[in-house]
């Protein structure tokens, strides 16, 4: 397989379509410590969509709301609630990436176009992935504005919580579709199955997960894909698919190098995390052995730990960040491990199921 056939460089940003972008952006600023740094809307000549761009470390999230009922974002919000619309890639050449993706079987979302303002001109095109989610290809051509054409600076600093970069973005797809989408990422984007995973390792009673990794040398972008497993209970993936109205982004994992500091900051900002059963910590030392962190801190903050052949990782998961039980976030710190915490699945799933039962969805 050709290495990186679309010349993807990195995730440029993740765009959410939400009911109220102004308030959503303020939530991510106050709760997660993102800085609001750019805005596009009526005041900047954008009459269709209002967008607030947020950043922390190299992570860029964009909250966008439609300004009329006939904008496609209105139907998207009606169907899905707030959710991820676009995982946008920076590429060398947006038109070339788009043509190659379509040649490899991608369904076009929009054709290559130029977007300009006084700071320069970018090129942009997009393809569909699972559900109503798209991947934009953006080539910046030395664009010098604060974010993208149409945006102006609008600085509103957040209290940085130490979130550095996106580690992985997980998609939920329907039963039986995981392999299909894994193949799609391989065929169309040239991604590879992540080396450290065996399918059987990461299938549980409740769901299965396959990981696809971007084919650059740094293994910089990881896209795990989940599907529900047929079981006696309704899986968390089923619950997501019901309330999101189909496949979509389940969670975005953000990397930190000081999870205690990050989690304290997020909790201080009002972010709520899944509660971990007390029994989890009784078995922890036997399961993962020695770790650098104090076990008291790990337990008090509700952090999960998992070890594999390369090292270990610390992680924890927020509750869904909207009323529908759909999108949530993960905070992750890696100490050698390149995995996703498969040893935590059982503890995690038990925690999720307790909350699912409270919602009457189990
Ligand atoms: Fe994850």
């Amino acid at each position: 397989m050709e290495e990186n056939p679309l010349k993807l460089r990195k995730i440029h940003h993740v765009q959410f379509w939400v009911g109220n972008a102004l308030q959503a952006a303020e939530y991510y600023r106050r709760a997660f410590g993102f800085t609001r740094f750019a805005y596009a809307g009526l005041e900047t000549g954008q009459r269709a969509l209002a967008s607030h761009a947020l950043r922390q470390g190299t992570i860029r999230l964009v909250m966008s709301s439609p300004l009329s009922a006939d904008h496609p974002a209105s139907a998207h919000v009606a169907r899905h609630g707030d959710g991820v619309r676009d995982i946008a890639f920076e590429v060398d050449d947006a038109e070339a990436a788009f043509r190659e993706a379509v040649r490899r079987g991608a369904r076009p979302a929009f054709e290559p176009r130029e977007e300009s303002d006084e700071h320069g001109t970018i090129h942009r095109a997009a393809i569909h992935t699972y559900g109503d989610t798209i991947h934009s290809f953006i080539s910046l051509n030395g664009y010098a504005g604060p974010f993208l054409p149409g945006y102006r600076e609008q600085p509103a600093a957040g209290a940085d919580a130490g979130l550095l970069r996106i580690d992985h973005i997980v998609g939920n797809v329907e039963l039986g579709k995981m392999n299909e989408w894994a193949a799609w990422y391989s065929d169309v984007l040239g991604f590879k199955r992540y080396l450290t995973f065996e399918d059987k390792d990461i299938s549980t009673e409740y769901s299965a997960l396959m990981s696809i990794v971007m084919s650059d040398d740094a293994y910089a972008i990881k896209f795990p894909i989940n599907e529900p497993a047929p079981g006696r209970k309704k899986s968390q993936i089923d619950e997501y698919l019901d309330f999101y109205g189909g496949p979509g982004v389940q969670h975005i994992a953000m990397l930190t190098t000081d999870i205690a500091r990050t989690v304290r900051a997020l909790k201080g900002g009002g972010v709520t995390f899944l509660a971990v059963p007390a029994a989890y910590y009784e078995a922890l030392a036997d399961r993962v052995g020695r770790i650098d962190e104090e076990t008291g801190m790990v337990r008090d903050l509700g952090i999960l730990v998992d070890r594999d052949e390369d090292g270990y990782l610390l992680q924890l998961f927020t509750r869904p960040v909207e009323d529908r039980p759909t999108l949530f976030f993960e905070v992750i710190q890696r100490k050698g491990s390149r995995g996703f915490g498969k040893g935590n699945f059982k503890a995690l799933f038990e925690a999720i199921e307790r909350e699912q039962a409270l919602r009457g969805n189990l």
Side-chain angles (χ1 to χ4, degrees), residues 218-265:
Y219 289 91
I221 299 172
K222 298 181 275 294
F223 284 167
I225 296 169
N226 290 323
E227 70 177 13
R232 68 198 158 81
K233 292 174 176 176
K234 181 172 175 174
S235 81
Q236 53 157 318
I237 315 299
D238 289 317
E239 188 193 36
Y240 175 99
L241 294 169
D242 283 354
F243 280 87
Y244 197 68
V249 170
Q250 180 209 38
H251 74 267
I252 299 174
M254 302 184 291
L255 194 73
T256 175
T257 51
D258 184 351
I259 200 161
R261 180 200 152 205
T262 297
V263 170
R264 285 191 185 107

Side-chain angles (χ1 to χ4, degrees), residues 168 170 224 251 253 315 317 330 340:
H168 58 275
V170 180
H251 74 267
Q315 65 187 162
F317 300 88
E330 172 182 348
F340 299 95

Side-chain angles (χ1 to χ4, degrees), residues 165-176:
R165 48 163 292 173
I166 291 175
D167 185 88
H168 58 275
I169 299 180
V170 180
N172 281 344
V173 300
E174 303 97 325
L175 180 60

Side-chain angles (χ1 to χ4, degrees), residues 194-328:
Y194 200 47
L195 300 171
T196 57
F197 269 15
E198 293 280 330
D199 295 358
K200 63 176 165 31
D201 289 341
I202 48 175
S203 298
T204 72
E205 195 183 337
Y206 312 104
S207 78
L209 184 154
M210 186 171 291
S211 172
I212 301 292
V213 63
M214 183 175 163
S215 64
D216 68 345
D217 295 339
Y219 289 91
I221 299 172
K222 298 181 275 294
F223 284 167
I225 296 169
N226 290 323
E227 70 177 13
R232 68 198 158 81
K233 292 174 176 176
K234 181 172 175 174
S235 81
Q236 53 157 318
I237 315 299
D238 289 317
E239 188 193 36
Y240 175 99
L241 294 169
D242 283 354
F243 280 87
Y244 197 68
V249 170
Q250 180 209 38
H251 74 267
I252 299 174
M254 302 184 291
L255 194 73
T256 175
T257 51
D258 184 351
I259 200 161
R261 180 200 152 205
T262 297
V263 170
R264 285 191 185 107
L266 266 48
K267 286 186 171 178
V271 176
T272 55
F273 292 91
L274 282 182
V276 182
Y280 175 88
Y281 294 101
E282 288 157 22
L284 184 66
D286 287 343
R287 195 165 62 76
V288 303
R290 240 200 75 72
I291 58 172
D292 301 337
E293 293 72 17
E294 261 183 63
T295 50
M297 176 280 284
V298 167
R299 187 188 57 235
D300 292 348
L301 292 177
I303 292 168
L304 301 163
V305 190
D306 196 26
R307 184 180 287 282
D308 58 28
E309 58 279 14
D310 299 314
Y312 69 98
L313 61 79
L314 306 125
Q315 65 187 162
L316 77 176
F317 300 88
T318 73
R319 292 208 170 82
V321 291
E322 56 285 300
D323 290 307
R324 298 192 196 195
T326 53
L327 179 87
F328 59 90

Side-chain angles (χ1 to χ4, degrees), residues 32-83:
F32 286 84
F34 281 88
T35 287
R36 285 169 55 192
F37 71 100
Y39 166 77
L42 293 173
E43 297 82 351
T44 71
Q46 303 293 309
R47 303 206 60 83
L49 203 64
S51 298
H52 299 262
L54 302 140
R55 70 166 171 237
Q56 185 169 177
T58 64
I59 306 164
R60 281 184 282 200
L61 307 181
V62 180
M63 301 295 142
S64 297
S65 284
L67 296 172
S68 68
D70 56 0
H71 191 283
S74 290
H76 196 277
V77 170
R79 175 160 189 196
H80 302 297
D82 290 3

